[in-house]
Amino acid sequence: MRRPVFVLAAVLAVSGIAVAPARADVARPGEAWHVELLRLAEAHRLSRGDGVTVALLGDGVDDHRDLKGALLPAVDVATVKSTSGGHRSTHAAGLIAARGDGGTGLLGIAPRAKVLPVRVVAGTKERDPAAVARGTDAAVAARAGVIALPDPNTEVTGDLRRAVRAAVAAGAVVVAPAGLAWPVLLTAAALPGVVSVVATDRDRRPVANSQTGLDLDLAAPGDNLVSVARLASGDGHLTSAGTDLAPAVVAGVAALVRAKYPDASGPDVIRRLHVTALGPVQHNPQVGWGLVDPVTALTATLPVLPAAVAQDGGPARDQQWYLDALRVPQTQRVTRGAGVTIGFVGNGVDAGHPDLQGQVSSPAWYDGKGGDVRTDAPPGPVRDALAVDASGHTGVVSVMVAKGGTGLLGVAPEAEVVAVGGIGGADELTGPAVRWLTGRGVRVMLIPGGPLDQGSVEAVAGAVRRGAVVVRPAHPENPDLSGVLTVGAVDGTGERRAAAADLVAPGEPMLVAAAGQGGYTGAVEPDTAAAGYVAAVAALIRAARPDLDVAGVLNRLLRTASPASAVRPRIVDPFEAVTADVPATDRNPIGDPGPVHPDAVLPSEDGPLPAVATAALLMVAAAAVTVVLARRLRRV
């Protein structure tokens, strides 16, 4: 397991990332290949960016004839003041909003947008995170609709996190270049709500040494781009390249969208960019959701989503890359899992953690003596067993249902978890726990990985047959359980090298709730965390589509997942799993669990058996009566 990026006391500074141009050659505006690739002539018939301000943080922007009328008065928050602009930001400003004719002058992506130059650095490689935070605050104060952070060479400090969080909350579309060393190093692009952009060449391939990973949002041209420059001879044009130029392209496209749809929220603008990008239907670790496509972003008709639930956010939420990477906040605009209970088999769930209060019912327990699962106060030995946080079970539950606010946010924050623990190994505990949960009508369950005794195997089969989606983590000793979804973990690069699985989800590195003291930890078993992630997605599907049976839920999870690769199976896609049009099926895509053993369900202490189980028992009783009567008639 890679060391988590979120060592809580500090975050490593990003250093050594080359953002200087690969080469800078004199060029003519007509050679700007990105203009044709992005179909800007067609896009400009729909929008030219009128009324939108794009804040450009960097080394300052020089005056240029192609930028006449495009620049607002500059803001300088750098530690060392300067009156001159810099090459990189000038180049980026031209890409965004140059007002030339495309022949003798450069045509920008949003030629009627305004660029607010915000100088945060004085021409050196060292980036002061305090200045970047001040610059972000200045952009928000200027009511910028788009904020471009075109430099990954900045340490992500608490103050910078706060400033970016405030910008996202204010409705700005914040874009930033993907770093080159994730997940060892953390950049602003990995923060919640920020659009992470990777640079591509004219053949739509990522440039050399580009980051790959689940947290990439979009690809955009960034290689040998023609833009404006101050030359020794005066105003001119150069070709330049670098990871910091692709975000400027996306910022320009975002300005076009904001001008065309002025009432759209920041998340809705980003959603348009995601859904309409050119490339794979599902997320790809090399190019994110694909190459930004201005024309389709301006013309596509998208379903209207409810407004997002307001979240205060905080340092813990800032480090939950695994939510934003797979569009969980967008999914939560459709459903947050209300009304669904997730059954969890395992010890060590700290229901008193601040992020879990009200999310976890009092744990049920099993004493390991072959009796029933109980909900009264456990005896000392059982209480001690329940207190043991086995492989970070509190953390797994936080992945599923943490309530958000200023702490962690779970995948399904309005679902409830019922935990069953006790004495004995997973093989001994699983059977009684699953039968008890089945008796309570629980329709999503997370069970341990590893070997199970025959009674547990029969109990799990019974749960599936009675309508429960049962999820387990990948494990080399997992028994063959038809109808049960096996989930493995991938890291931020999307790679997996472990036991076989039907589906994968983020599992490392993760910041999760820690048992005791209300703190956080990165110590969680990756496959179990990933299985919890998918179980919570199943809860979202159950909440949004309560009519679906087990086959329907599993079919959605598998049919909408991102395609497999040589190093991993399919990655769960929460938004598509909840919203996509998926053909109905009555066949479980991972097998029929077979007939149910008569002891596969136990009645709940809290009430009668579910109606289906009651009906089944009545049918058995009726059959028995029929047999008895038939025998008596034969005797007569």
Side-chain angles (χ1 to χ4, degrees):
M1 177 177 177
R2 299 185 181 183
R3 202 168 79 191
V5 299
F6 39 74
V7 178
L8 297 179
V11 180
L12 295 174
V14 177
S15 60
I17 298 177
V19 296
R23 70 171 183 267
D25 300 326
V26 176
R28 295 187 299 273
E31 298 171 340
W33 60 268
H34 70 278
V35 171
E36 181 178 354
L37 179 70
L38 298 177
R39 298 185 291 163
L40 291 185
E42 185 176 352
H44 289 163
R45 289 195 288 271
L46 303 166
S47 173
R48 296 173 69 85
D50 298 75
V52 179
T53 296
V54 180
L56 180 62
L57 276 64
D59 54 4
V61 178
D62 283 321
D63 290 330
H64 191 283
R65 65 174 182 265
D66 291 352
L67 293 173
K68 185 176 181 180
L71 300 179
L72 295 172
V75 175
D76 191 344
V77 297
T79 304
V80 179
K81 304 299 180 184
S82 175
T83 57
S84 62
H87 165 75
R88 302 304 287 174
S89 290
T90 302
H91 207 81
L95 291 170
I96 294 169
R99 300 187 173 191
D101 57 7
T104 58
L106 182 73
L107 179 65
I109 295 167
R112 289 185 184 164
K114 295 284 189 178
V115 173
L116 172 66
V118 181
R119 191 168 163 278
V120 297
V121 64
T124 67
K125 280 190 175 182
E126 295 301 323
R127 300 319 192 229
D128 179 6
V132 177
R134 291 193 298 270
T136 304
D137 289 338
V140 172
R143 303 174 68 93
V146 182
I147 301 175
L149 308 175
D151 182 6
N153 253 14
T154 306
E155 179 185 1
V156 180
T157 62
D159 194 32
L160 181 55
R161 293 172 189 270
R162 175 209 52 79
V164 170
R165 196 182 309 130
V168 172
V173 175
V174 183
V175 298
L180 300 182
W182 197 102
V184 176
L185 304 173
L186 183 66
T187 71
L191 296 177
V194 177
V195 181
S196 173
V197 184
V198 65
T200 57
D201 60 22
R202 66 176 63 212
D203 295 321
R204 305 181 184 181
R205 297 173 301 192
V207 299
N209 299 320
S210 291
Q211 173 193 323
T212 62
L214 297 183
D215 64 339
L216 289 180
D217 285 289
L218 293 167
D223 184 50
N224 295 332
L225 298 183
V226 176
S227 190
V228 302
R230 292 294 300 274
L231 308 177
S233 57
D235 292 346
H237 303 87
L238 292 175
T239 60
S240 191
T243 58
D244 55 334
L245 297 181
V249 173
V250 173
V253 177
L256 295 179
V257 174
R258 298 224 86 150
K260 176 73 182 297
Y261 301 98
D263 295 328
S265 66
D268 281 332
V269 173
I270 295 171
R271 177 169 161 250
R272 277 193 166 272
L273 299 179
H274 282 171
V275 172
T276 61
L278 292 169
V281 175
Q282 289 108 342
H283 189 276
N284 181 288
Q286 281 71 48
V287 294
W289 299 104
L291 182 75
V292 68
D293 181 354
V295 174
T296 309
L298 291 168
T299 58
T301 300
L302 302 183
V304 177
L305 296 182
V309 175
Q311 294 286 335
D312 296 330
R317 172 67 183 93
D318 288 344
Q319 299 178 61
Q320 290 185 278
W321 65 270
Y322 48 89
L323 298 183
D324 303 272
L326 298 185
R327 300 187 294 179
V328 168
Q330 184 171 310
T331 311
Q332 290 176 355
R333 295 175 63 179
V334 180
T335 176
R336 292 165 62 86
V340 178
T341 297
I342 304 172
F344 177 71
V345 180
N347 291 339
V349 178
D350 180 7
H353 191 286
D355 295 352
L356 296 177
Q357 289 180 0
Q359 308 296 93
V360 184
S361 67
S362 299
W365 57 274
Y366 174 68
D367 64 8
K369 298 177 181 178
D372 294 338
V373 173
R374 300 171 59 175
T375 57
D376 57 349
V382 177
R383 186 170 59 250
D384 293 342
L386 291 174
V388 176
D389 189 23
S391 300
H393 285 170
T394 297
V396 174
V397 172
S398 73
V399 171
M400 295 192 286
V401 299
K403 60 186 179 182
T406 58
L408 294 173
L409 177 65
V411 173
E414 291 182 5
E416 177 192 28
V417 164
V418 175
V420 184
I423 294 175
D427 57 339
E428 183 180 359
L429 173 62
T430 299
V434 168
R435 287 195 295 272
W436 185 81
L437 291 168
T438 304
R440 290 175 61 95
V442 173
R443 302 181 70 205
V444 178
M445 298 183 196
L446 175 59
I447 66 172
L452 297 176
D453 60 25
Q454 186 58 33
S456 295
V457 171
E458 292 168 352
V460 171
V464 175
R465 294 285 288 182
R466 286 179 168 83
V469 175
V470 180
V471 182
R472 65 174 174 179
H475 191 285
E477 296 184 50
N478 272 345
D480 184 16
L481 295 176
S482 295
V484 175
L485 187 67
T486 301
V487 178
V490 290
D491 62 16
T493 66
E495 295 184 0
R496 172 167 177 77
R497 301 182 183 89
D502 300 309
L503 196 64
V504 297
E508 62 173 327
M510 300 183 90
L511 184 70
V512 298
Q517 308 302 317
Y520 302 103
T521 181
V524 62
E525 201 285 312
D527 288 329
T528 305
Y533 195 112
V534 172
V537 176
L540 295 178
I541 297 173
R542 286 287 202 200
R545 300 176 180 270
D547 56 311
L548 290 180
D549 58 11
V550 174
V553 174
L554 293 177
N555 187 49
R556 280 189 161 273
L557 286 168
L558 295 171
R559 289 283 293 269
T560 61
S562 297
S565 73
V567 294
R568 55 152 175 79
R570 294 165 290 188
I571 297 178
V572 67
D573 185 334
F575 186 77
E576 291 298 314
V578 169
T579 63
D581 291 328
V582 177
T585 182
D586 58 359
R587 299 186 61 182
N588 191 318
I590 48 180
D592 187 336
V596 184
H597 190 277
D599 294 331
V601 59
L602 290 177
S604 165
E605 292 182 4
D606 298 333
L609 285 170
V612 173
T614 303
L617 288 177
L618 289 174
M619 291 175 65
V620 171
V625 170
T626 301
V627 171
V628 171
L629 290 176
R631 287 177 178 175
R632 290 184 176 179
L633 287 173
R634 282 199 299 270
R635 290 175 182 173
V636 173

